[in-house]
Each structure stands twice: as structure tokens, then as C-alpha cells.
Amino acid sequence: MERKEEIIQAALMLASKNGIDNVSMSQIATQLGIKKPSLYNHFRSKDEIVKAMYDYLRTQAKEKLKIKDLDYGKLVKDKSLEEVLKLMVHNYCKMSTQSEMFSFYKIIYSTRTTNVVAAQIMCEETEKMILATKNLFYALQVHQKIFVKDIDQAAISFTMTIHSLIDYQLDRKSAGNKFNEDILDNYICWFSKEFGGKDEKNIDYTTGRYAGNPDPLGAAGHYHPDPRPQAGGGQSHQGYQGTIPRG
């Protein structure tokens, strides 16, 4: 194990016991049996360690579960909307609840209202979920597996509902209360029935195309980037491009 990994693991262990706000660089150094100045050869601050911890643990969780980059076009081609959504949501849940990743999320969740770095990490994770879902939904739309007027808003709505249901399940589990283990699948089933069939009101009869993302393939059959700006400014995501990392 490299020194950076050792520092991350030591910080995670201390944060799990005491909370991230109560962990200092001195404590991390003591845990590792090294002098505090040695930490600064690898990380400039505790905040930098926490950010690195997020990237490292997320990557490790994906590797352990063998979650690799996906070609969304191939993924959705021979599956129903419900099958695709269940596969993606179940994979995300497995990654998020993988032992060390889950411990990290519990730490971050408990301090996100008071710790700027924790809040930034949660925002980044949510934005990754939204972007991945948008790219998936564009692929589903291209293959005529989903029919909605506004594909971007549908992706945001789906993502945030899944996000909230996962939080709700974890809160009930932490509180020792019973929870409906089928709640995610039930929502996906409902969503698929609502938006997985062709609906005449979603078709633009002046062009003969679906209203959400007109002519996603274009004359040459290439996938077009979405040129619309994101909320808050800046360039939007690049739409469906085929092989895209999950999250």
C-alpha cells in the first residue's frame, strides 16, 4: 500500500470514530507513526485528504464490484426500460453501500451542513448521478425505450427521486425501523410504465419526431452533443456519446 493510501485509510478510521471535524493532521500522523510534517509531503491539508478519500474510495468500490465503463447503446438495445433502470440503480446502490464507501458517506452525510468540503463532495456525487442518468436517458431515447417531452428534466427528476429513496431507506435502517426493500424497484416499475411506452402527446406531428430530443441521430447517423447551457451557466453535458463511464 502506498503512503497516500495509508494516510487515507488512517483518516477514514479516525473519522469513523470521531467525526471528520474532530480529526486533525497531528492525529493522522500519530495513527501512522510518523511525524506531522511528513504528511505535508503528500497532502497540503486535511480537506485535501478528505477530497482524495472520496475519489479513492469511489474508484476502489467500482473496481471491487467490477463496475466498468459502459456502452449505453449496447446496454439498452436488447433490454426494456425497466430492466435497464433496475440494473443501473442496483449497481449504484452496491457501489454506495460497499463497506468503506458506505462508512465514508455516513461521515460526509453527518457533517454536510456544517463542513464545506463535505457539502462539496455531496454536490459532486449528486451531479455525477444526474449526468450519468442524462446520458443513459439519451441512449434510451435514441433506441426508443423512453418517451418524454423533456429528457433532461426527466433524468433530473428520476435521479433525485432515487437519491431521496436511498436516503430514506438508509435513515430507517439507521433508526432501527423496518423499511420496504422493494421501494426502489416499485418506483422504477411505475416510472417504466409511465414513460416506457409511446405516448401520442410526446410526438411532434410537424416533424414526426419525439418532442424530448428532436432528431438525436441527425442525417449522418451520429450522436449530437446537447448545446443547451446548464443551469448556473457553463456548457452542458455532451449528450449520449456511446461509451461513457457510469458515474
Side-chain angles (χ1 to χ4, degrees), residues 1-14 28-29 31-34 39 42-43 49 53 56:
M1 183 182 294
E2 295 183 358
R3 179 60 79 184
K4 279 193 172 184
E5 292 180 41
E6 292 177 348
I7 294 170
I8 288 171
Q9 292 290 350
L12 178 63
M13 187 185 73
L14 290 169
I28 297 171
Q31 180 68 32
L32 291 168
I34 62 176
L39 287 179
H42 304 282
F43 296 101
I49 294 176
M53 193 186 302
Y56 169 77

Short mmCIF file of all heavy atoms in Angstrom, two decimals, residues 1-14 28-29 31-34 39 42-43 49 53 56:
data_model
loop_
_atom_site.label_atom_id
_atom_site.label_comp_id
_atom_site.label_asym_id
_atom_site.label_seq_id
_atom_site.Cartn_x
_atom_site.Cartn_y
_atom_site.Cartn_z
N MET A 1 0.84 -1.20 0.00
CA MET A 1 0.00 0.00 0.00
C MET A 1 0.88 1.25 0.00
O MET A 1 1.82 1.35 0.78
CB MET A 1 -0.91 0.01 1.23
CG MET A 1 -1.88 1.18 1.28
SD MET A 1 -2.91 1.20 2.77
CE MET A 1 -3.90 -0.28 2.54
N GLU A 2 0.60 2.19 -0.88
CA GLU A 2 1.37 3.41 -0.96
C GLU A 2 1.04 4.32 0.23
O GLU A 2 0.00 4.19 0.87
CB GLU A 2 1.07 4.14 -2.27
CG GLU A 2 1.52 3.38 -3.51
CD GLU A 2 1.27 4.17 -4.77
OE1 GLU A 2 0.71 5.29 -4.67
OE2 GLU A 2 1.61 3.67 -5.85
N ARG A 3 1.95 5.25 0.51
CA ARG A 3 1.78 6.13 1.66
C ARG A 3 0.48 6.92 1.58
O ARG A 3 -0.21 7.09 2.59
CB ARG A 3 2.97 7.08 1.78
CG ARG A 3 2.87 8.07 2.94
CD ARG A 3 2.79 7.36 4.27
NE ARG A 3 4.10 6.89 4.72
CZ ARG A 3 4.29 6.17 5.82
NH1 ARG A 3 3.26 5.81 6.57
NH2 ARG A 3 5.51 5.79 6.16
N LYS A 4 0.11 7.40 0.39
CA LYS A 4 -1.13 8.17 0.28
C LYS A 4 -2.34 7.32 0.68
O LYS A 4 -3.26 7.81 1.33
CB LYS A 4 -1.30 8.70 -1.15
CG LYS A 4 -0.51 9.96 -1.45
CD LYS A 4 -0.97 10.60 -2.75
CE LYS A 4 -0.33 11.97 -2.93
NZ LYS A 4 -0.81 12.67 -4.14
N GLU A 5 -2.33 6.08 0.26
CA GLU A 5 -3.43 5.18 0.62
C GLU A 5 -3.46 4.95 2.12
O GLU A 5 -4.54 4.89 2.74
CB GLU A 5 -3.28 3.84 -0.11
CG GLU A 5 -3.48 3.94 -1.61
CD GLU A 5 -3.31 2.59 -2.30
OE1 GLU A 5 -3.80 1.59 -1.75
OE2 GLU A 5 -2.69 2.54 -3.36
N GLU A 6 -2.28 4.81 2.73
CA GLU A 6 -2.21 4.62 4.18
C GLU A 6 -2.77 5.83 4.91
O GLU A 6 -3.48 5.69 5.92
CB GLU A 6 -0.75 4.39 4.59
CG GLU A 6 -0.17 3.07 4.12
CD GLU A 6 1.29 2.92 4.49
OE1 GLU A 6 1.91 3.93 4.89
OE2 GLU A 6 1.82 1.81 4.37
N ILE A 7 -2.48 7.02 4.41
CA ILE A 7 -2.99 8.25 5.03
C ILE A 7 -4.51 8.30 4.92
O ILE A 7 -5.22 8.62 5.88
CB ILE A 7 -2.35 9.49 4.36
CG1 ILE A 7 -0.86 9.53 4.67
CG2 ILE A 7 -3.04 10.77 4.85
CD1 ILE A 7 -0.09 10.58 3.87
N ILE A 8 -5.03 7.95 3.75
CA ILE A 8 -6.48 7.95 3.53
C ILE A 8 -7.16 6.95 4.46
O ILE A 8 -8.18 7.26 5.09
CB ILE A 8 -6.79 7.63 2.06
CG1 ILE A 8 -6.43 8.82 1.17
CG2 ILE A 8 -8.26 7.25 1.88
CD1 ILE A 8 -6.50 8.53 -0.32
N GLN A 9 -6.60 5.75 4.57
CA GLN A 9 -7.19 4.73 5.43
C GLN A 9 -7.15 5.15 6.90
O GLN A 9 -8.12 4.94 7.65
CB GLN A 9 -6.44 3.40 5.25
CG GLN A 9 -6.61 2.75 3.88
CD GLN A 9 -8.01 2.21 3.66
OE1 GLN A 9 -8.82 2.13 4.57
NE2 GLN A 9 -8.31 1.83 2.42
N ALA A 10 -6.05 5.76 7.32
CA ALA A 10 -5.93 6.22 8.71
C ALA A 10 -6.94 7.32 9.00
O ALA A 10 -7.59 7.33 10.05
CB ALA A 10 -4.51 6.72 8.97
N ALA A 11 -7.10 8.26 8.05
CA ALA A 11 -8.06 9.35 8.22
C ALA A 11 -9.48 8.81 8.27
O ALA A 11 -10.31 9.28 9.07
CB ALA A 11 -7.90 10.36 7.09
N LEU A 12 -9.79 7.82 7.43
CA LEU A 12 -11.13 7.22 7.42
C LEU A 12 -11.43 6.54 8.75
O LEU A 12 -12.53 6.69 9.29
CB LEU A 12 -11.23 6.22 6.28
CG LEU A 12 -12.57 5.46 6.17
CD1 LEU A 12 -13.72 6.42 5.89
CD2 LEU A 12 -12.48 4.40 5.06
N MET A 13 -10.47 5.81 9.29
CA MET A 13 -10.68 5.12 10.55
C MET A 13 -10.93 6.12 11.69
O MET A 13 -11.86 5.95 12.49
CB MET A 13 -9.46 4.27 10.89
CG MET A 13 -9.66 3.38 12.11
SD MET A 13 -8.16 2.49 12.59
CE MET A 13 -7.21 3.85 13.29
N LEU A 14 -10.14 7.18 11.73
CA LEU A 14 -10.31 8.19 12.78
C LEU A 14 -11.63 8.93 12.63
O LEU A 14 -12.33 9.19 13.61
CB LEU A 14 -9.14 9.19 12.72
CG LEU A 14 -7.78 8.65 13.17
CD1 LEU A 14 -6.68 9.64 12.80
CD2 LEU A 14 -7.77 8.38 14.67
N ILE A 28 -3.72 12.06 12.58
CA ILE A 28 -3.45 11.16 11.45
C ILE A 28 -1.99 10.72 11.47
O ILE A 28 -1.68 9.53 11.28
CB ILE A 28 -3.79 11.84 10.12
CG1 ILE A 28 -5.29 12.16 10.04
CG2 ILE A 28 -3.40 10.95 8.94
CD1 ILE A 28 -5.69 13.02 8.86
N ALA A 29 -1.10 11.65 11.71
CA ALA A 29 0.33 11.34 11.77
C ALA A 29 0.62 10.35 12.89
O ALA A 29 1.36 9.37 12.72
CB ALA A 29 1.14 12.62 11.95
N GLN A 31 -1.46 8.23 14.23
CA GLN A 31 -2.05 6.94 13.86
C GLN A 31 -1.10 6.15 12.96
O GLN A 31 -1.01 4.92 13.06
CB GLN A 31 -3.39 7.17 13.15
CG GLN A 31 -4.11 5.91 12.72
CD GLN A 31 -4.60 5.08 13.90
OE1 GLN A 31 -4.96 5.61 14.94
NE2 GLN A 31 -4.59 3.77 13.74
N LEU A 32 -0.38 6.85 12.11
CA LEU A 32 0.53 6.20 11.17
C LEU A 32 1.93 5.99 11.75
O LEU A 32 2.76 5.32 11.14
CB LEU A 32 0.63 7.04 9.89
CG LEU A 32 -0.62 7.07 9.02
CD1 LEU A 32 -0.49 8.15 7.95
CD2 LEU A 32 -0.86 5.71 8.37
N GLY A 33 2.19 6.63 12.89
CA GLY A 33 3.50 6.51 13.49
C GLY A 33 4.56 7.31 12.77
O GLY A 33 5.74 6.92 12.71
N ILE A 34 4.15 8.45 12.20
CA ILE A 34 5.09 9.32 11.50
C ILE A 34 4.97 10.73 12.07
O ILE A 34 4.05 11.03 12.85
CB ILE A 34 4.82 9.36 9.98
CG1 ILE A 34 3.41 9.92 9.69
CG2 ILE A 34 4.97 7.96 9.38
CD1 ILE A 34 3.11 10.09 8.21
N LEU A 39 3.30 14.33 6.60
CA LEU A 39 2.00 14.30 5.91
C LEU A 39 1.96 15.32 4.78
O LEU A 39 1.35 15.09 3.73
CB LEU A 39 0.87 14.59 6.89
CG LEU A 39 0.48 13.50 7.89
CD1 LEU A 39 -0.63 14.00 8.79
CD2 LEU A 39 0.05 12.24 7.17
N HIS A 42 2.60 14.75 1.12
CA HIS A 42 1.58 14.06 0.32
C HIS A 42 0.29 14.86 0.18
O HIS A 42 -0.36 14.83 -0.87
CB HIS A 42 1.27 12.70 0.95
CG HIS A 42 2.47 11.83 1.14
ND1 HIS A 42 3.06 11.12 0.11
CD2 HIS A 42 3.22 11.58 2.24
CE1 HIS A 42 4.10 10.45 0.57
NE2 HIS A 42 4.22 10.70 1.86
N PHE A 43 -0.10 15.57 1.23
CA PHE A 43 -1.33 16.36 1.21
C PHE A 43 -1.08 17.70 1.89
O PHE A 43 -0.42 17.76 2.92
CB PHE A 43 -2.46 15.63 1.94
CG PHE A 43 -2.87 14.33 1.31
CD1 PHE A 43 -2.44 13.11 1.82
CD2 PHE A 43 -3.69 14.32 0.18
CE1 PHE A 43 -2.81 11.91 1.25
CE2 PHE A 43 -4.07 13.13 -0.41
CZ PHE A 43 -3.63 11.92 0.12
N ILE A 49 -7.07 15.73 2.00
CA ILE A 49 -7.15 14.30 2.31
C ILE A 49 -8.58 13.80 2.13
O ILE A 49 -8.82 12.74 1.55
CB ILE A 49 -6.67 14.02 3.75
CG1 ILE A 49 -5.17 14.32 3.88
CG2 ILE A 49 -6.94 12.56 4.12
CD1 ILE A 49 -4.64 14.18 5.29
N MET A 53 -9.87 11.06 -0.40
CA MET A 53 -10.55 9.90 0.16
C MET A 53 -11.78 9.55 -0.67
O MET A 53 -12.04 8.38 -0.99
CB MET A 53 -10.95 10.19 1.61
CG MET A 53 -11.39 8.98 2.41
SD MET A 53 -12.02 9.45 4.05
CE MET A 53 -10.61 10.31 4.74
N TYR A 56 -10.65 8.14 -4.11
CA TYR A 56 -10.00 6.84 -3.93
C TYR A 56 -11.03 5.75 -3.58
O TYR A 56 -11.04 4.68 -4.21
CB TYR A 56 -8.95 6.94 -2.82
CG TYR A 56 -8.39 5.61 -2.37
CD1 TYR A 56 -7.45 4.94 -3.13
CD2 TYR A 56 -8.81 5.03 -1.17
CE1 TYR A 56 -6.94 3.71 -2.72
CE2 TYR A 56 -8.31 3.82 -0.75
CZ TYR A 56 -7.36 3.16 -1.52
OH TYR A 56 -6.86 1.95 -1.11
#
